[in-house]
Amino acid sequence: MAAVYKSVSKQPNGKAKTDDNEPKPKNRQRVLILTSRGVTYRHRHLLNDLHSLLPHSRKDAKLDTKTQLHQLNELADLYNCNNVLFFEARKGKDLYIWLSKPPNGPTVKLHCQNIHTMEELNFPGNCLKGSRPVLSFDASFEKQAHTRVIKELLTHTFGVPPTSRKTKPFVDHVMGFTLADGKVWIRCYQIQETEATSKGETQVSLQEIGPRLVLTPIVMLEGSFGGPVIYENKEFVSPNQIRSDLRKAKAGRYNRRTEATVERKAKKRDMGLRTGEGTREVDELDERVLFA
């Protein structure tokens, strides 16, 4: 079926052309997907879900290093990929996603949170494996320069070209990208068609198939996994800092209770109310004076 679709879409001379009889530019996008060491099972399931939704992707083994990320450019060139989707795990709980266009860039680093895989919530929707998605972007992506760059990187990464080898000539799901509260919210829906009336009219609806995730932009680099910083999110607070502040808050409450206990004991000692500690002053109303 895919071969017939390609042959019909081409002109008799074998080259695809537009309506103006000009050569149609080819969309050659391939994505290299891989993770670092230390990913959890939820991160691994998310990677498998994205790999199944992107037929133009190539999944590779884990990368041994977290500091020399420029090696990903060589891997992308080795597998003939011009997009890299790298999952970096920290401390077995934090996940960072790198989107890059090797070899010249740019690169954006995002913090991934609120992950829900396909099997986790038992999404009722389903789509054909290898089909192409419809990318739906919020209008807020066009308001700032760095959001336009993020939109372009997401388009190249999740936009499946029609000439990919494993792509089927069907469009049956939608990937939605929404920009809210400084974060990118990603949702995936199946396009369902049901007969509404007896006249043969169909009703189109959307059914979520997963996965879900929220991405917070952190930093944007001019090159591929290197180069000068062209954007930095000043409002981003790392998960390590949040956990550190929570521990300090708990430690502060404990320290205040400990200091209050020490002060209470010292006050009782000064007043002579503790046995064997301090001297109690003898006044006129003391029993030892009244009944002497």
Side-chain angles (χ1 to χ4, degrees):
M1 182 64 185
V4 175
Y5 175 79
K6 291 180 181 180
S7 62
V8 171
S9 62
K10 291 183 178 181
Q11 298 294 331
N13 57 0
K15 295 183 179 180
K17 295 185 178 181
T18 59
D19 298 336
D20 299 334
N21 200 17
E22 296 180 356
K24 188 176 181 180
K26 293 184 179 181
N27 186 8
R28 300 180 181 273
Q29 301 294 336
R30 293 193 64 185
V31 183
L32 177 63
I33 302 179
L34 73 164
T35 66
S36 64
R37 297 288 181 182
V39 292
T40 62
Y41 71 97
R42 300 184 68 222
H43 302 162
R44 186 171 62 253
H45 290 176
L46 176 63
L47 177 72
N48 293 332
D49 293 343
L50 294 179
H51 178 61
S52 62
L53 290 175
L54 304 177
H56 66 305
S57 62
R58 169 68 183 268
K59 186 169 65 173
D60 195 22
K62 297 179 181 178
L63 189 67
D64 292 331
T65 179
K66 295 182 181 179
T67 57
Q68 301 177 359
L69 297 183
H70 58 85
Q71 297 179 1
L72 294 172
N73 297 326
E74 301 177 2
L75 288 176
D77 182 60
L78 181 64
Y79 293 118
N80 194 19
C81 297
N82 54 359
N83 297 277
V84 175
L85 180 62
F86 178 62
F87 284 29
E88 180 184 0
R90 294 285 183 178
K91 295 188 176 181
K93 58 182 71 175
D94 302 329
L95 179 63
Y96 298 92
I97 294 181
W98 294 76
L99 293 176
S100 177
K101 289 285 294 181
N104 299 323
T107 304
V108 61
K109 181 182 180 181
L110 308 106
H111 177 230
C112 183
Q113 55 189 352
N114 297 338
I115 300 174
H116 299 283
T117 59
M118 291 182 179
E119 298 179 356
E120 191 174 68
L121 297 180
N122 295 324
F123 292 107
N126 190 13
C127 66
L128 178 66
K129 184 177 179 61
S131 61
R132 300 176 59 204
V134 175
L135 302 183
S136 176
F137 286 93
D138 188 11
S140 301
F141 279 95
E142 298 293 337
K143 294 182 179 180
Q144 299 180 5
H146 70 278
T147 55
R148 290 196 294 268
V149 176
I150 294 175
K151 176 183 177 181
E152 194 69 19
L153 288 174
L154 292 174
T155 303
H156 290 187
T157 303
F158 293 94
V160 181
T163 57
S164 181
R165 183 171 59 90
K166 297 182 180 179
T167 303
K168 295 181 175 60
F170 300 100
V171 177
D172 61 351
H173 62 283
V174 179
M175 296 195 70
F177 302 91
T178 306
L179 189 63
D181 196 19
K183 300 178 176 60
V184 181
W185 303 68
I186 300 179
R187 298 291 186 268
C188 190
Y189 303 92
Q190 177 197 0
I191 302 175
Q192 290 184 342
E193 294 184 359
T194 56
E195 294 185 0
T197 59
S198 59
K199 298 181 181 180
E201 298 180 356
T202 59
Q203 183 178 2
V204 179
S205 61
L206 298 178
Q207 183 69 47
E208 188 171 2
I209 62 178
R212 296 178 180 175
L213 63 154
V214 180
L215 303 177
T216 304
I218 302 176
V219 67
M220 189 177 298
L221 306 178
E222 183 178 357
S224 180
F225 297 102
V229 177
I230 59 178
Y231 170 76
E232 184 178 1
N233 189 2
K234 300 294 185 179
E235 299 179 355
F236 174 74
V237 180
S238 65
N240 290 331
Q241 185 65 34
I242 295 176
R243 289 190 291 265
S244 177
D245 294 342
L246 292 176
R247 287 194 299 267
K248 289 181 180 179
K250 293 181 180 179
R253 291 196 297 267
Y254 173 76
N255 293 335
R256 287 192 295 270
R257 289 198 301 267
T258 304
E259 292 174 358
T261 303
V262 173
E263 291 178 358
R264 185 169 59 253
K265 291 181 178 180
K267 186 176 181 180
K268 288 183 178 180
R269 184 186 66 248
D270 297 340
M271 295 175 62
L273 300 178
R274 293 180 60 86
T275 304
E277 295 183 4
T279 58
R280 184 176 180 181
E281 297 180 358
V282 179
D283 54 1
E284 298 178 355
L285 299 178
D286 191 86
E287 294 181 355
R288 290 172 292 181
V289 176
L290 295 175
F291 301 99

